[in-house]
């Protein structure tokens, strides 16, 4: 098959401009009849690897897939692209199944999705079908080593015996070698070609935060992105419910999901999430395996995950469309203790504890997190990623010897019998009942740490634990004990380097307003609404119509003809035909409304200009026009920048302008007004700040 034909097919049928890494090679192998094992991360683009060959090969492609819920979405997506596909499973009536079986016999259908347990439905017709390819999705389910073992998968070995010349393509996101071997052995693959794609998902940002006040942190986080879908993973069922309730209370459209809920409720929540009717799902790890939703924009871990495999799979559910997506992991000392207990009591305790330790090391990392993740999966990277919290905000160290001395002596004074919270209370001179009951207030070092916040002490103590100066006695009520290293600090003058605790509860009010305002009027939002309406009419998930990535590209490219729309990644022939007109119309309407708005704006500026030029003061103009003072000032600023002949001197002094020029250099966000307002301790009002910035901008362009 020539390259050109594959590319044309990719564009025409799926709307994509180019292949992702490995896709083309896998497809070429499959087309030449080669058995193949493809290992790609979640969101890496596995589906195309069998969907595209299915269109080229003469017969039917059977796709074995473990999850009924997923089949429907995949079939919907294929149909939206004008491709004949169906699924057969036990949720259908006998009549429905018969209908699809007839269509298969008539060779109308290119792809059929089926669960391994349901293959028997095809028994009677199996020999009469032309089966060109067998794709086995989530192939790790075959392996008892893997984490999603499905007994019915182990029967699939007979497929190769029955159809020895039909190529098999096994796909999975699970990388480890034992599982790989198991897959190809059990499926009887003949000399399989193995592809391992990079596990790096560059579009996912990585962040770890201390868990203090995590509900508030989560609320702030979600409120900044009012329309973006996300998942919060929690360790316990109870937490999912409590958190969902707290979010609902403040008006966030959130639901809980865990294995203890009724089946109907669970699938309803899942559907609502997929269809953009429910914004946030607070879930245990039971949620997600059956979800192909490409526009999950963020994933939060409310608790520390048990191991890196699970963590990576869960964050992998964000950003399948390739757009930037955020992930945040909350680390708490309490979680570590609880997980350590679980792990030590469960099966395979040693391995589980070791895995948890790696997870903890990741969370406590002081160097690029992505490097650590990828090295866990055996990929060595030399460059820092630039998209994790450590890369963006490298930790800075300071001499924390005195802090360490205070903490370690407090632990001694308490005779190594107390857990972390009591030590902090003791250091900070708390007057709570426990301290008084124990008469700790009479001991030396009580209250020597009053100068630091509870939060800071918590972080410093955790750092000291990580540095090995003290340890948690997990089997003895989590008492904190000293290690032999502590002596060096207390008695031998060893210096301790600590990292500065990052402030997390910064006031994000300003950002929030700006963001939601600009959101609501954007073309993206307009198109998103349109997509949502169509998805309701057609009863398919919104992302099946166009991905977020496609809408974003439409926003920047503003296609206004068929040809221009076809140039968007994700717009193929079928979608152009179905949705082209209506999306192009929406884009043109949006442009028009912008022109009208601009005209209106121009008129309002002109009015202000005339009044000002006729000698009215800002106050008078404000009264005359019934507009706020700061609005009039902003008009004048804009007019001035655009070159209107007006004199701003009466409104602001030279001195004030040079003060603001100085601030401009110092401030971190010199384009936002509030930082100036704060910088001058509210002594220079917003109107003047605007004018000064206008004058400075004009000066710059005049240079
Ligand atoms: P996986 O099964 O590996 O998790 P999918 O096959 O579901 O991944 O693909 C993930 C997303 O990437 C889907 O939204 C899909 O449409 C998109 N995608 C796949 N291949 C390409 C490509 N070559 N160009 C652009 N987007 C792609
Ligand atoms: Zn990094």
């Amino acid at each position: 098959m020539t390259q050109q034909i594959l590319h044309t097919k990719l564009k025409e049928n799926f709307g994509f401009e180019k292949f992702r890494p490995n896709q083309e090679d896998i497809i070429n192998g499959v087309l030449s009849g080669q058995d193949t094992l493809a290992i790609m991360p979640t969101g890496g683009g596995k589906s195309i690897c069998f969907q595209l060959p299915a269109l080229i090969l003469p017969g039917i492609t059977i796709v074995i897939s473990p999850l009924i819920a997923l089949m429907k979405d995949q079939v919907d997506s294929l149909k939206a692209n004008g491709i004949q596909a169906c699924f057969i499973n036990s949720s259908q009536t006998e009549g429905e199944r018969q209908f699809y079986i007839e269509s298969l016999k008539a060779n109308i259908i290119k792809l059929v999705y089926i669960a391994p347990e349901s293959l028997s439905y095809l028994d009677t017709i199996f020999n009469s079908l032309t089966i060109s390819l067998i794709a086995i999705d989530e192939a790790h389910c075959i392996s008892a080593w893997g984490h999603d073992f499905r007994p019915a998968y182990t029967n699939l070995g007979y497929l190769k015996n029955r159809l020895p010349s039909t190529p098999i393509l096994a796909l999975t996101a699970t990388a480890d070698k034992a599982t790989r071997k198991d897959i190809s052995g059990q499926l009887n693959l003949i000399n399989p070609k193995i592809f391992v794609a990079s596990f790096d998902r560059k579009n996912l940002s990585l962040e770890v935060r201390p868990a203090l006040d995590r509900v508030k942190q989560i609320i702030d986080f979600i409120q900044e992105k009012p329309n973006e879908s996300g998942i919060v993973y929690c360790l316990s069922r109870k937490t999912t419910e409590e958190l969902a309730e707290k979010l609902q209370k403040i008006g966030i459209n959130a639901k809980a999901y865990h294995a203890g809920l009724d089946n109907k409720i669970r699938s309803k929540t899942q559907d609502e999430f997929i269809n953009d009717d429910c914004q946030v799902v607070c879930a245990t790890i039971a949620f997600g395996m059956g979800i192909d939703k490409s526009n999950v924009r963020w994933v939060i871990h409310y608790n520390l995950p048990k191991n890196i495999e699970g963590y990576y799979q869960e964050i992998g559910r964000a950003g399948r469309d390739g757009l930037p997506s955020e992930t945040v992991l909350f680390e708490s000392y309490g979680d570590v203790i609880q997980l350590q207990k679980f792990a030590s009591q469960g099966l395979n305790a040693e391995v589980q504890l070791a895995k948890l330790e790696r997870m903890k090391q990741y969370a406590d990392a002081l160097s690029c997190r992505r490097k650590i993740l990828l090295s866990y999966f055996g990929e060595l990277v030399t460059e820092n990623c630039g998209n994790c919290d450590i890369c963006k905000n490298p930790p800075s160290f300071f001499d924390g010897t005195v802090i360490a001395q205070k903490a370690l002596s407090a632990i001694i004074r308490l005779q190594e019998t107390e857990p972390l919270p009591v030590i902090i209370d003791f250091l900070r001179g708390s007057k709570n009942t426990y301290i008084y009951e124990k008469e700790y207030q009479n001991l030396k070092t009580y209250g020597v740490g009053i100068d630091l916040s509870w939060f800071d002490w918590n972080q410093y103590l955790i750092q000291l634990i990580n540095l090995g100066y003290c340890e948690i006695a997990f089997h003895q009520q989590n008492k904190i004990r000293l290690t032999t290293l502590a002596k060096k600090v207390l008695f031998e003058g060893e210096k301790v380097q600590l990292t500065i605790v990052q402030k997390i509860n910064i006031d994000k009010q300003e950002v929030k307003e700006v963001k939601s305002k600009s959101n609501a009027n954007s073309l993206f939002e307009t198109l998103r609404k349109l997509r949502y309406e169509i998805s309701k009419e057609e009863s398919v998930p919104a992302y099946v119509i166009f991905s977020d990535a496609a809408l974003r590209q439409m926003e920047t490219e503003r296609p206004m003809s068929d040809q221009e729309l076809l140039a968007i990644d994700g717009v193929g022939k079928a979608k152009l035909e179905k949705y082209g007109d209506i999306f192009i119309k929406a884009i043109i309407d949006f442009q028009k409304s912008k022109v009208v708005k601009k005209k209106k704006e121009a008129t309002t500026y002109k009015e202000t200009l005339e009044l000002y030029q006729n000698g009215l003061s800002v106050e008078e103009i404000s009264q005359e026009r019934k507009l706020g003072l700061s609005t009039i000032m902003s008009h004048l600023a804009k007019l001035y920048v655009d070159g209107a002949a007006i004199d701003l001197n009466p409104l602001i002094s030279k001195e004030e302008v040079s003060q603001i020029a100085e601030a401009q250099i110092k401030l971190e966000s010199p384009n936002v007004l509030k930082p100036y307002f704060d910088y001058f301790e509210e002594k220079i009002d917003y109107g003047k700040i605007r004018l000064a910035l206008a004058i400075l901008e004009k000066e710059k362009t005049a240079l």
Side-chain angles (χ1 to χ4, degrees), residues 232-248 254-258 261 281-285 302-303:
V232 187
Y233 281 108
C234 311
L235 198 57
S236 76
R237 296 176 178 184
K238 200 166 137 230
T239 317
T240 65
E241 291 182 6
E242 287 171 355
L243 181 64
E245 205 183 305
K246 282 178 198 157
L247 298 181
Q248 283 159 13
K255 294 221 161 138
Y257 184 108
H258 58 72
L261 291 170
V281 177
C282 307
T284 58
I285 52 170
Y302 188 93
N303 303 98

Side-chain angles (χ1 to χ4, degrees), residues 192 273 549 684:
F273 183 64
I684 300 186

Side-chain angles (χ1 to χ4, degrees), residues 217-225 298 300 326 328:
Q217 292 193 61
I218 291 172
I219 290 174
D220 285 350
F221 181 91
I222 298 174
Q223 281 182 333
E224 263 181 49
K225 22 193 144 277
W298 53 266
I300 288 178
E326 291 174 80
V328 178

Side-chain angles (χ1 to χ4, degrees), residues 245-270:
E245 205 183 305
K246 282 178 198 157
L247 298 181
Q248 283 159 13
K249 267 206 186 117
I250 58 152
I252 294 171
N253 186 351
K255 294 221 161 138
Y257 184 108
H258 58 72
L261 291 170
D262 184 72
N263 245 335
K264 273 201 195 116
I265 298 181
R266 274 194 295 171
S267 59
K268 185 159 169 277
T269 301
Q270 178 163 327

Side-chain angles (χ1 to χ4, degrees), residues 367-371 384-392:
S367 59
C368 175
R369 294 196 201 276
R370 199 172 313 263
K371 273 189 180 167
N384 287 336
C385 79
N387 195 19
C388 74
D389 53 345
I390 303 281
C391 283
K392 287 179 193 161

Side-chain angles (χ1 to χ4, degrees), residues 495-552:
K495 295 246 178 271
V496 179
Q497 293 284 305
L498 294 176
T499 58
I500 293 174
V501 174
Q502 309 269 354
K503 290 276 167 286
I504 43 161
N505 289 329
I506 40 167
D507 185 12
K508 291 197 173 150
Q509 213 62 36
E510 179 82 3
V511 186
K512 208 185 293 176
E513 248 174 49
V514 177
K515 224 181 162 176
S516 52
K517 256 191 221 153
S518 67
N519 258 348
N521 301 322
S522 66
L523 177 56
F524 178 77
E525 272 314 303
T526 309
L527 298 179
R528 209 179 62 86
K529 276 194 202 112
L530 176 62
R531 178 182 71 174
Y532 180 79
E533 282 158 20
I534 299 175
S535 79
K536 290 292 123 183
E537 250 166 57
E538 300 191 355
S539 315
V540 293
Y543 68 84
V544 162
I545 295 170
F546 284 126
S547 69
D548 280 15
L551 297 192
R552 284 281 173 213

